[in-house]
């Protein structure tokens, strides 16, 4: 089972700033099969990025993802107030389970 | 509109059984994997398992296999998550989610969760 470790645990930034979130896998994720989700308080998660770098339908272009092998990154170029939430990475490159990281909380500074 | 609608909140006692539902609409239910995710209070997301409704092929996380069952009824576009004997530690929000297919020229495979239900809160307490 691949273990995903996200860092930092909490990121404190201001609207307009750039956010960089990291996801490191315990072993290489084949075909860069990594997804990123956003979860706002009291809401279901929402798919942002799949295949490490492809934006899901309706996701603004301020969200971008990249990476390969064991290291993956989500970047939010200019933070909007609605972006402050919890972010999870997930891998689906190995046989199930398609594990999630433990999450990064993006909070307003 | 593609959506998944889950059944309402449940309050149960330890040892009781429970089946929660997830009804899909707006897409071909039989031809997309559908999965379940647990979120315990104040905690992160845990991948439980997925089912392919067309043939009921099911894959589980070892952490959940044997404690829950996953099934689907294609005639009513509904997936189920079921417990035969609940524990207090099953208290959580359970989300169903559609799995998008990631395809290469050679093959397609189950991928990320692209459509999520609203969640079902399950509380198990004596």
């Amino acid at each position: 089972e691949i273990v995903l470790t996200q860092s930092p645990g909490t990121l404190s930034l201001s609207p307009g700033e750039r956010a960089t979130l990291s996801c490191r896998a315990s072993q290489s994720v084949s075909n860069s099969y990594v997804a990123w989700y956003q979860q706002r308080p009291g809401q279901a998660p929402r798919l942002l990025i799949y295949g490490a770098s492809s934006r899901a339908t309706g996701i603004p272009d301020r969200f971008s993802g990249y990476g390969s092998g064991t290291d993956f990154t989500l970047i939010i170029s200019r933070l909007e107030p609605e972006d402050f939430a919890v972010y999870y990475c997930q891998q689906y490159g190995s046989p199930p389970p398609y594990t999630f990281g433990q999450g990064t909380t993006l909070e307003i500074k | 509109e593609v959506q998944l609608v889950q059944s309402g909140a449940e309050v149960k006692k330890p040892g009781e059984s429970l089946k929660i539902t997830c009804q899909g609409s707006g897409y071909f239910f039989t031809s997309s994997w559908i999965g379940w995710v647990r979120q315990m209070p104040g905690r992160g997301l845990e991948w439980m398992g997925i089912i392919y409704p067309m043939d009921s092929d099911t894959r589980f996380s070892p952490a959940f296999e044997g404690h829950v069952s996953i099934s689907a009824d294609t005639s009513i576009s509904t997936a189920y998550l079921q417990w035969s004997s609940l524990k207090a530690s099953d208290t959580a929000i359970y989300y169903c989610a559609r799995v998008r297919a990631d395809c290469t020229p050679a093959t397609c495979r189950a991928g990320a969760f692209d459509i999520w239900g609203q969640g079902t809160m399950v509380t198990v307490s004596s």
Side-chain angles (χ1 to χ4, degrees):
Chain A
E1 177 176 318
I2 295 179
V3 176
L4 300 180
T5 302
Q6 294 187 239
S7 61
T10 301
L11 186 58
S12 299
L13 293 170
S14 301
E17 291 193 295
R18 174 187 175 97
T20 302
L21 287 68
S22 175
C23 176
R24 177 161 290 179
S26 59
Q27 55 189 278
S28 183
V29 180
S30 67
N31 297 108
S32 298
Y33 282 146
V34 167
W36 289 90
Y37 301 87
Q38 176 195 68
Q39 188 177 32
R40 295 171 177 150
Q43 295 187 16
R46 175 174 71 144
L47 177 65
L48 300 175
I49 300 287
Y50 62 91
S53 60
S54 298
R55 271 188 300 276
T57 302
I59 301 304
D61 61 7
R62 65 178 181 274
F63 291 91
S64 60
Y66 67 93
S68 63
T70 60
D71 291 304
F72 298 88
T73 302
L74 175 71
I75 291 177
I76 311 171
S77 58
R78 296 171 308 279
L79 286 167
E80 298 285 346
E82 62 268 26
D83 298 336
F84 291 92
V86 181
Y87 292 83
Y88 296 94
C89 59
Q90 181 202 22
Q91 68 79 24
Y92 50 96
S94 63
Y98 294 162
T99 45
F100 290 97
Q102 83 280 16
T104 289
T105 299
L106 179 56
E107 65 176 23
I108 298 177
K109 187 173 182 180
Chain B
E1 179 192 5
V2 177
Q3 61 177 351
L4 297 172
V5 177
Q6 297 185 231
S7 50
E10 300 275 0
V11 179
K12 292 289 190 178
K13 290 180 165 48
E16 292 186 331
S17 63
L18 176 65
K19 180 185 272 190
I20 63 175
T21 69
C22 170
Q23 185 169 41
S25 61
Y27 73 101
F28 291 109
F29 182 80
T30 54
S31 57
S32 293
W33 291 83
I34 192 162
W36 291 92
V37 175
R38 183 174 78 174
Q39 188 166 39
M40 299 176 75
R43 306 296 293 273
L45 305 176
E46 298 175 90
W47 192 95
M48 300 178 70
I50 55 175
I51 186 167
Y52 192 65
M54 185 176 289
D55 61 8
S56 294
D57 184 9
T58 308
R59 315 289 170 85
F60 278 100
S61 166
F64 294 95
E65 190 160 24
H67 184 56
V68 298
S69 60
I70 295 173
S71 59
D73 184 341
T74 57
S75 68
I76 55 173
S77 301
T78 298
Y80 303 95
L81 180 65
Q82 185 171 8
W83 296 259
S84 60
S85 181
L86 287 159
K87 304 175 184 178
S89 57
D90 293 318
T91 295
I93 298 173
Y94 293 87
Y95 294 100
C96 66
R98 187 182 75 169
V99 179
R100 70 178 304 280
D102 272 53
C103 296
T104 67
T107 187
C108 291
R109 59 171 295 148
F113 291 125
D114 64 348
I115 303 294
W116 291 70
Q118 82 276 19
T120 296
M121 180 70 216
V122 173
T123 303
V124 184
S125 174
S126 55

